[in-house]
Structures are given as C-alpha cells and as structure tokens.
Amino acid sequence: MILLTVLFLCIISTYSASVKGHTTGPSLNNDKLYKFAYSAEVYVDGVKASLQKSAGYRISSGVDVNLLWRNPDNDDDQLIKITIKDVQVENVNERPAAKSIFKGKSTEKIIGKEYLEALQRPIVLELVRGKVKTFYSYQNEPGFTQNIKRGLASLFQLQLHSGSSREVDISGKCNTTYHVRQDQVTKIKDLDSCEIKKKGFTSHNRILDVGTKATSATVYVLEDSFIKSIKAEENFVFLLNYRQKTGAKIVSKQRLELRSVQAGLGLIAAKQVASVIKTLDPNYVAMPLEAEPVKSECKKCPSLSEHWQSIREHMHPDKLSKAEAAKSFLSFIQNIRKATKEEILKIIRSENKEFLPQVVDAVTSAQTPESLEAILEFLDFKDASTSILQERFLYACGFASHPSETLLKSLTEKFKGDVANEEIRETLVIVMGALIRKLCDRGGCKLPAVVEAKRLILNRLEKAKKDDNVQMYLLALKNALLPEAIPVLLKYSESGEGPISSLAATALQRYDPSSLTKEVKETMNRIYHQTRRVHEKTVRTTAAAIILNSNPSYMEVKNILLSIGELPMEMNKYMLSMIQDILHFEMPSSKTVRQVLKDMRTHNYDRFSKMGSSSAYTGYITRGPDVSSTYSLDILYSGSGILRRSNMNIHVFDRNTELHAIQVVIEAQGLESIIAATPDEGEENLDSFAGMSAILFNFQLRPVTFFQGYGDLMSKMLSATGDPMNVVKGLVLLTDYLQEIQLQSGPMASAEFLGGLAIDISGGMEFSLWYRESKTNVKNRVATFIAGNTEVDSFFIKTGMETTLEAETSLDFISTVQFSQYPFLVCMQMDRVESPFRTHMTKYESLPSGRRYTARRGKAAVLAGNEYPLHQENSNMCKKVFGAKSDSAGSWF
C-alpha cells in the first residue's frame, strides 16, 4: 500500500511539472509543434487622424514554435525554436491596386532574396522563468532581419504573476509591469525608462521643442500554460509645443495567434544548453536581445555640393526675409549633418562673399564634430577682414540648440588667443556666456570647459580697468545667469557708473525671481530710493521693476508708491504707468499693489494725476491653448523731452516655461545740449550717446552704438540718411529635434522637426532740430519655416509623413516725439503687416526601387495686418502728432 501511494505521488508530481507546474512563465508541451499566425503593422499619420487612412504596411507570416530542451534540474529553464515562414508584405489599409507600391511584386522582390532567406532562418531562445535569458541567431545576418526576429522573440517574454521589474527586450532595458487575471496577462512597458543606444537631441527651450508621449501594452491570453494569442501595441505621439496642431504619430501593432498544435520532434537529450546548441547547429551564437542600430543608406541622394547648388539662389542676402530662405537653410543643415569635413570645406572655400555668411550660418547650426572642425579651420580670428563671417559664426553658436562642451572649449581658446577685431572679441565672450547657461541647464555645470569659462569671465571682470572691458564681461554674465555672479552684478549695479550700472541691473532682471536673494532686493531698494548715492533714471526704474517682479512685500510696494510725486517729472509718469500696467495685466504683484492702494495716502488724485509722456504698457499678441504671447512697450524720457530709453519686448509662454523671444532697447543720454535743455538730476555729466541692444530667443546680442560723444553725434546728424542700422541679420535654427525610436516589431523609426527663422532686425534714431522732433524706428522682418518628418525605415520600405508650416511677417515699432512744447507730444505705434501662412502635409510609402505612393493636403491663409492697441492716452497723442505733421511735411535735417 505504501509503495502504491509513493508511486501515485510520483506520477502526480511528474504530470504537474510537465503540464501545470510552471507558474513563473509559459511552458510548452513535449513533442509538440505550435503553429501561429503572425502579423506586424506600422501606421504613420497625423495625431488625431484615423488609422484607416494612414500610410504604412503589414508584414504577415506563419510562425512555428517547438520545445528543444528542458533543463532536467529546473523545469522553468527551456530552449525553444522559432521559425518564420511564408512571409507576405502588403498595404496596411485597403487601397486600389493602382495606388499600391506592392502591385505585381512578390515578397522576394520586395524584401530581396538574401534578406528573405535570412528572415526565415530559425532562432533559438532560452527561457528561464518566462524571461529570455539568451537569444541565439546567426552572426552574419543583416541587422534588419535580426531586429524583426528580436521583435518576435520579445513577445515570448512574460511572467505569470503580477508585479514590476526591469526587463531587457528589443527596446532595451525597461521598467515593465505585469497585471495577471486568470488566463490573461497584461504587460505595460514604460518606454521612457528604456536604456538603449540611439541617436537624438532636443531643443534647448521647451517652448521651441517637441512634446512626446509613448505607450506600450501587450495582452496575452493563455491556454494550458502556454500562449493562445498575443496582441501588442505601441503608440508614439510628437507635437510641436508651440503649435500642437502640428505633429505626428506612429502606431506599431503585433499580433500572434495560435492556429494549431501538431505532433513535433522529441527533445534533445543534454544537461547543458551549450551542448544542445552545438548539436542543433554550431553556427548559432548568443546575441543581445536588445536591437542593433540599423539605418538604410540613401543610394540616389545628391551630394552636398549638388544640394547646395539647387538651393543657392534662395540664400541670397536680398531674399533672407522669405520663407523659402528658411526652408533652404533647414534642408542644407540636414545635408551638412551627413557630410564629411572635406565636403563642407569644399563649399565654404568655393563660395563668394555674398553667399558665404549664409553658408556659415548653416554649417555652424549643423552642430556636428565635422562641421565644427571645418568652420574653425576656415575662420582666422587674427584676420580682421573676415569679421562679418566670424560674427555670423559666433551668433550661430549663441543660438545653438544643443551645444557641445567641445564648442565652448574651442571658443575659450579663441578668446585667449589673438583676435584682430575688438568687436569680435567682445562677441566671443558674450557667446561663451550663452553656452555656459545652455550647458548648465542640461546638467553640465561641472564640465571642465564650463568651469574654465566661468572662472575666466569672473576673474577677468574682477581685474578689468577699462569700462569697455567691464561691459563686455557683464554682457557675458547677462547671458550666463550664474548664481555665483549675483554678488558681482549687485556691486556694479550700485557702485558702477552710467551704462555699467544700467547693464548690471538689467542682467539681474533676467534672473528668475526665485533665485534673487534678500540681499538683491535690499540693494534694489537702496538704488531706487537713492539711500547711498544718486542714480540715473534708467537704473532706478530697472531696480523698481526687479522689486515689483520678485514677490514684493507690502512695505516695498507702499514705499515705491509713496515715492511717486517726489521723482523727476518723467520718472513720475513712468512709475505711475508701470503700476497701472501691473494692475491692468494682472501681474503677480497686482494683489499686493491693490492692498496698498486701499490706503488713501498712496492712492490719491495728487499722486495719480502726474503729467508726462513716459509710459509702460503690456498686451497680448495671441492667447491660445498651447502657448500665449505678450508684447510690452515702455518708453522713458528725460525732463527735456528727449528719449532716454525705449524698450520693446515679446514673450512667449506656456503653463511651465517662458521664452524671451525679442527685446529691442534703444538708449540715449547726454543729448540735452542739442536743444539747450537742462539735464535731470544725476545725469549732468553724461557723454552724448545713443545705441541699441537686442535679445533674441533668450540670447543677448552685442549692443550696437549709433554714436558716441558730441563730435560723433554732430557728424552723423549732418550726414544722416534716415536709413536704419542693422542689429542682426541671418538665419537661425530655432527648433531642432531628432529622436530615433526602436519599434518592438523590429523596424527603426525616427521623428525629426526643424524650425528655421530668417530674420532682419534693424533700428534707427533720428533728430530734426528744425521741427524739434525725434523718431525711433525698430523694424523686425521675419520668415519662418518648420519641417517635420516622421518615418519608419524597414530597409525594404520607408513609410512616413512630412509636415511643413511657413509664414512671413514684419513687426514695426515707431516712436515719434515732438518737443517744441511741454508737455511734449509722444506717439507710439506697433504694427504688424499682412502675413501669408501656409501648411502642407504629405504621407508617403516608398520602395528602394523608387516606386512611391504619396497623399498630399495643404492649406493657405492670410493673417490680416494689425496695429496693436496701447493705452488711450497714446491714441489721443498720436492724433495730435500726425495732425500737426500734416501741415509741415518735408525732409529731415
């Protein structure tokens, strides 16, 4: 009886182990052949588009699976063989035969005989507790077919209990979560957590970047402890952050369904996996389950020189404000990124001086090691005759979307060496500041090149004796925004003279309010209230703006309001406008301002009825679901009616990020002697000066001087033509996004979005002593082109979607002042001209043979011109100015 009981328990144990005892992973029965139907589908389309009209393809096949070996000591250690058979390639959606690129082509013709044979060679997996321990295949097979097999092999990896773990599959090493319910298992893979080698980069500022969302889910249905069906789906969505109507999605689906179970071969008798593999086929080798990089080469693409010749005419200086220039610029960058150093140098050295600045823009913006080596070899900073090209190179570096440590190191070495042109030397260090900030923002503050550049700027600023050198290093710090530079900027703000003090204060104004310490606010209060010394109006108003924008206390706001009425006349009016603008635009400090205004000592007619022409105003350009943009115009005059500072800003922001898109500041000082007027307090000894400073996409450019000193002023007044002076002209790479995506089904996908800007900013300041009138004019002419290409490259077929957006516009800011009477008349205008706007979308499928299917859609519109509203007082003043001018038309000077 005991013998029968023991025998019965042994039989039950053996049966349980071979059929139901495998709770940690799927188990195959001995001597069985499992025949599956397999399909892998790819769809590419717009984000909200239906998959029924998407571009894409389907690979379908049979899949045979059988058990080769089970570890005698561990039933959960198994070797299985997987064979792909009867491969077919077809359209993912039904389409008329005339529109099918596969019409009349066999699978062998589409994929290629060699690749098809490789695809149908079996692979072997070692499964341990449901996870793929080893992937065996043939070493010299094409990477494309290996990845398709890896994608299929990854489907066989699962666990039969709920929980999370780090798993390695074709996507890399990823966080994976399993949910088990009876005979159904759901696997969720966090694609953002996957560690895998892939190429890619993003834009520096989030607003200019591309937002992404990736999901992966696989549902298993089990029967008798093995797989009955698998459905897997991955979704990748890409959206331009500043225009989420522009975007794309990739959907990858896999399906594996059990069709039959047939009698199969018996197990291979062995104790070790290596013995089984050697018996099966000694050519098998263990390979990573993680995908290997695969990229098909373009066989009919033009060379870099051929491409340049095809777009060259659109890059003429006279056409740089057109969208076609921005489009050509982007396509040129794409080709430069594939080129060698020698190919790039060939074009640079052969081009003439009209086109060379645009070539420099593109080569620098490409940001590859080869392009950097080529441009640095070409440019000679010891040669002053090529300063225009050197400046274009440096500005392109300042706008770099993903600068490298090598770039900063190269510029630091150039700055330490001989630089023939002093303006180029100044631009060099200003750009170094911008690169420091961008590298620090990406976590690179401790990189050796960044540490060296920071030390150089701070040390040389401390030792600088000449005002020009001090200003140069302060401009670099204005771009770098280093926390450790705040004490230095405070020192120069409070103790510096004239332009130095103003520059240091405006540098502090660029810091995020959260990083401004108690010491900063105390210093700004001392400057504004002049508790230690007299300061210029420009510095005092900047100090007030910093206080009011940094979560001011009740007493700070109260003291500022109480000062209105005790200030110089035009500063009274300016501060009053600033307070009213805070209330009108509901800025963060408006709540505190309203509390203070409940006190009649601060809120009374005497204080709020001050005369003057200075003003500050903020309004919306656009308000949208994705991003909004604002414009602000403020203008400060001296008591004699001459412009002291005009400041135009455009900010773009979303819920989390802000981008300082444009700032154009025109400053003037010491001009009272022209009209025999008395300077304001603290400004009696200022030299005659006028100049312009610009910030473009968070990058402070080198300021431009209109004139310096009385003699220079009179010379330029007598020879003035009225033509504006150029501040920046060129091509800028704004959006620069590239991500390679490994699809679980095997192919490699990529999403590339490029946004280019052709820009021309100029400004001028004119005087008419005869008419006692002055005018400032800032012209912003821009054209933008955005191109996105989302593509799946399966070697034998490419499918994807291209989307483009283009626009051209011009924004002018004009300030006219008539100082023949007091209060003098001031009219400010901000106008945008009629703007064409076009979008296009093209879905495509193509074979290496050249056969191609495309579906296109486009839309064109014209955005009406607009004169942006300012305050009512300005409108009334403009009527008086232009009413008076109509009787006195004539030329200036």
Side-chain angles (χ1 to χ4, degrees), residues 513-547:
S514 62
S515 64
L516 298 180
T517 61
K518 180 182 177 182
E519 183 186 1
V520 174
K521 295 181 75 174
E522 289 174 350
T523 305
M524 293 301 108
N525 275 288
R526 288 198 301 268
I527 291 172
Y528 177 74
H529 295 290
Q530 301 190 120
T531 54
R532 290 187 177 176
R533 52 168 289 195
V534 174
H535 293 276
E536 294 178 32
K537 292 193 298 294
T538 52
V539 184
R540 295 180 69 190
T541 52
T542 301
I546 291 172
I547 295 167

Coordinates of all heavy atoms in Angstrom, one line a residue, residues 513-547:
P513 N 12.9 85.2 -10.7 CA 12.7 85.8 -9.3 C 13.0 84.9 -8.2 O 13.4 85.4 -7.1 CB 11.2 86.2 -9.4 CG 10.9 86.4 -10.9 CD 11.8 85.4 -11.5
S514 N 12.8 83.6 -8.3 CA 13.0 82.7 -7.2 C 14.5 82.6 -6.8 O 14.8 82.2 -5.7 CB 12.5 81.3 -7.6 OG 13.2 80.8 -8.7
S515 N 15.4 83.0 -7.7 CA 16.8 82.9 -7.4 C 17.4 84.2 -6.9 O 18.6 84.3 -6.5 CB 17.6 82.5 -8.7 OG 17.5 83.5 -9.7
L516 N 16.6 85.3 -6.8 CA 17.0 86.6 -6.3 C 16.9 86.6 -4.7 O 15.8 86.4 -4.2 CB 16.2 87.7 -6.9 CG 16.3 87.8 -8.4 CD1 15.5 89.0 -8.9 CD2 17.8 88.0 -8.8
T517 N 18.0 86.8 -4.1 CA 18.0 86.7 -2.6 C 17.5 88.0 -1.9 O 17.3 89.0 -2.6 CB 19.5 86.4 -2.2 OG1 20.3 87.6 -2.6 CG2 20.0 85.2 -2.8
K518 N 17.5 87.9 -0.6 CA 17.1 89.1 0.2 C 18.1 90.2 -0.1 O 17.7 91.4 -0.1 CB 17.1 88.7 1.7 CG 16.7 89.8 2.6 CD 16.7 89.3 4.1 CE 16.4 90.5 5.0 NZ 16.5 90.1 6.4
E519 N 19.3 89.9 -0.2 CA 20.4 90.9 -0.5 C 20.1 91.6 -1.8 O 20.3 92.9 -1.9 CB 21.7 90.2 -0.5 CG 22.9 91.2 -0.7 CD 24.2 90.6 -0.9 OE1 24.3 89.3 -0.9 OE2 25.2 91.3 -1.0
V520 N 19.6 90.9 -2.8 CA 19.3 91.6 -4.1 C 18.2 92.6 -3.9 O 18.3 93.7 -4.3 CB 18.8 90.5 -5.1 CG1 18.4 91.2 -6.4 CG2 20.0 89.5 -5.4
K521 N 17.1 92.2 -3.2 CA 16.0 93.2 -3.0 C 16.4 94.4 -2.2 O 16.0 95.5 -2.4 CB 14.8 92.4 -2.4 CG 14.3 91.3 -3.3 CD 13.1 90.6 -2.7 CE 11.8 91.5 -2.7 NZ 10.6 90.7 -2.3
E522 N 17.3 94.1 -1.2 CA 17.7 95.3 -0.4 C 18.6 96.2 -1.2 O 18.4 97.5 -1.1 CB 18.6 94.7 0.8 CG 17.8 94.0 1.9 CD 18.6 93.4 3.0 OE1 19.9 93.4 2.8 OE2 18.1 92.9 4.0
T523 N 19.4 95.7 -2.1 CA 20.2 96.5 -2.9 C 19.4 97.3 -3.9 O 19.6 98.5 -4.2 CB 21.3 95.7 -3.7 OG1 22.0 94.9 -2.8 CG2 22.2 96.6 -4.5
M524 N 18.4 96.6 -4.5 CA 17.5 97.3 -5.5 C 16.7 98.4 -4.8 O 16.5 99.5 -5.4 CB 16.5 96.3 -6.1 CG 17.2 95.3 -7.0 SD 18.1 96.0 -8.4 CE 19.8 95.7 -7.8
N525 N 16.3 98.2 -3.5 CA 15.6 99.2 -2.8 C 16.5 100.4 -2.5 O 16.1 101.6 -2.7 CB 15.0 98.7 -1.5 CG 13.7 98.0 -1.7 OD1 12.7 98.7 -1.9 ND2 13.7 96.7 -1.6
R526 N 17.8 100.2 -2.2 CA 18.7 101.3 -2.0 C 18.9 102.1 -3.3 O 19.0 103.3 -3.3 CB 20.0 100.7 -1.5 CG 20.0 100.2 0.0 CD 21.4 100.1 0.5 NE 22.3 99.2 -0.2 CZ 22.4 98.0 0.0 NH1 21.7 97.4 1.0 NH2 23.2 97.2 -0.7
I527 N 19.0 101.4 -4.4 CA 19.2 102.1 -5.7 C 18.0 102.9 -6.0 O 18.1 104.1 -6.4 CB 19.5 101.0 -6.8 CG1 20.9 100.4 -6.6 CG2 19.4 101.7 -8.2 CD1 21.1 99.2 -7.6
Y528 N 16.8 102.3 -5.9 CA 15.6 103.0 -6.3 C 15.4 104.3 -5.4 O 15.1 105.4 -5.9 CB 14.4 102.1 -6.3 CG 13.1 102.9 -6.6 CD1 12.8 103.2 -7.9 CD2 12.2 103.3 -5.6 CE1 11.7 104.0 -8.2 CE2 11.1 104.0 -5.9 CZ 10.8 104.4 -7.2 OH 9.7 105.1 -7.5
H529 N 15.6 104.1 -4.1 CA 15.3 105.2 -3.2 C 16.5 106.1 -3.0 O 16.5 107.1 -2.2 CB 14.8 104.7 -1.9 CG 13.5 104.0 -2.0 ND1 12.3 104.7 -2.2 CD2 13.1 102.7 -1.9 CE1 11.3 103.8 -2.3 NE2 11.7 102.6 -2.1
Q530 N 17.7 105.7 -3.7 CA 18.9 106.6 -3.6 C 19.3 106.8 -2.2 O 19.7 108.0 -1.8 CB 18.7 107.9 -4.4 CG 18.3 107.7 -5.8 CD 18.3 109.0 -6.6 OE1 19.1 109.0 -7.6 NE2 17.6 110.0 -6.3
T531 N 19.4 105.8 -1.4 CA 19.7 106.0 0.0 C 21.2 106.2 0.2 O 21.7 106.7 1.3 CB 19.3 104.8 0.9 OG1 19.8 103.6 0.3 CG2 17.7 104.7 0.9
R532 N 22.0 105.7 -0.7 CA 23.5 105.9 -0.6 C 24.1 106.9 -1.6 O 25.1 107.5 -1.3 CB 24.2 104.5 -0.8 CG 23.9 103.6 0.4 CD 24.8 102.3 0.3 NE 24.6 101.4 1.4 CZ 25.1 100.2 1.5 NH1 25.9 99.8 0.6 NH2 24.9 99.5 2.6
R533 N 23.5 106.9 -2.8 CA 24.0 107.8 -3.8 C 22.9 108.1 -4.9 O 21.9 107.4 -4.9 CB 25.3 107.3 -4.5 CG 25.1 105.9 -5.0 CD 26.2 105.4 -5.9 NE 26.2 106.1 -7.2 CZ 26.9 105.7 -8.3 NH1 27.7 104.7 -8.2 NH2 26.8 106.4 -9.4
V534 N 23.2 109.1 -5.7 CA 22.2 109.4 -6.8 C 22.5 108.4 -8.0 O 23.6 108.2 -8.3 CB 22.4 110.9 -7.2 CG1 21.5 111.2 -8.4 CG2 22.1 111.8 -6.1
H535 N 21.4 107.9 -8.5 CA 21.5 107.0 -9.7 C 20.7 107.6 -10.9 O 19.8 108.4 -10.7 CB 20.9 105.7 -9.3 CG 21.7 104.9 -8.3 ND1 22.8 104.1 -8.6 CD2 21.5 104.8 -6.9 CE1 23.3 103.6 -7.5 NE2 22.5 104.0 -6.5
E536 N 21.1 107.1 -12.0 CA 20.3 107.5 -13.2 C 18.9 106.9 -13.2 O 18.7 105.9 -12.6 CB 21.1 107.0 -14.5 CG 22.4 107.7 -14.7 CD 23.1 107.1 -15.9 OE1 22.4 106.8 -16.9 OE2 24.3 107.0 -15.9
K537 N 18.0 107.6 -14.0 CA 16.6 107.1 -14.1 C 16.5 105.7 -14.6 O 15.7 104.9 -14.2 CB 15.8 108.0 -15.0 CG 15.6 109.4 -14.4 CD 14.5 110.2 -15.2 CE 14.9 110.4 -16.6 NZ 16.1 111.3 -16.8
T538 N 17.4 105.4 -15.6 CA 17.3 104.0 -16.2 C 17.6 102.9 -15.2 O 17.0 101.9 -15.2 CB 18.3 103.9 -17.4 OG1 19.6 104.3 -17.0 CG2 17.8 104.8 -18.5
V539 N 18.6 103.2 -14.3 CA 18.9 102.2 -13.3 C 17.8 102.1 -12.2 O 17.5 101.0 -11.8 CB 20.3 102.6 -12.6 CG1 20.7 101.5 -11.6 CG2 21.4 102.7 -13.7
R540 N 17.3 103.3 -11.8 CA 16.3 103.3 -10.8 C 15.0 102.6 -11.2 O 14.4 101.8 -10.5 CB 16.0 104.7 -10.4 CG 17.1 105.4 -9.7 CD 16.8 106.9 -9.3 NE 15.8 106.9 -8.2 CZ 15.1 108.0 -7.8 NH1 15.4 109.1 -8.5 NH2 14.3 107.9 -6.8
T541 N 14.6 102.8 -12.5 CA 13.4 102.2 -13.0 C 13.6 100.7 -13.1 O 12.7 99.9 -12.9 CB 12.9 102.8 -14.3 OG1 14.0 102.8 -15.2 CG2 12.4 104.2 -14.1
T542 N 14.8 100.2 -13.5 CA 15.1 98.8 -13.6 C 15.0 98.2 -12.2 O 14.5 97.1 -12.0 CB 16.5 98.6 -14.2 OG1 16.5 99.1 -15.5 CG2 16.8 97.1 -14.3
A543 N 15.6 98.9 -11.2 CA 15.5 98.4 -9.8 C 14.1 98.2 -9.4 O 13.7 97.2 -8.7 CB 16.3 99.3 -8.9
A544 N 13.3 99.2 -9.7 CA 11.9 99.1 -9.3 C 11.2 97.9 -10.0 O 10.4 97.2 -9.3 CB 11.2 100.4 -9.7
A545 N 11.5 97.7 -11.2 CA 10.9 96.6 -12.0 C 11.3 95.2 -11.3 O 10.5 94.3 -11.2 CB 11.3 96.6 -13.4
I546 N 12.6 95.1 -10.9 CA 13.0 93.9 -10.2 C 12.3 93.7 -8.9 O 11.8 92.6 -8.6 CB 14.5 94.0 -10.0 CG1 15.3 93.9 -11.3 CG2 15.0 92.8 -9.1 CD1 16.8 94.2 -11.2
I547 N 12.1 94.8 -8.1 CA 11.4 94.7 -6.8 C 10.0 94.2 -7.1 O 9.5 93.3 -6.4 CB 11.4 96.0 -6.1 CG1 12.8 96.4 -5.7 CG2 10.5 96.0 -4.9 CD1 13.0 97.8 -5.3

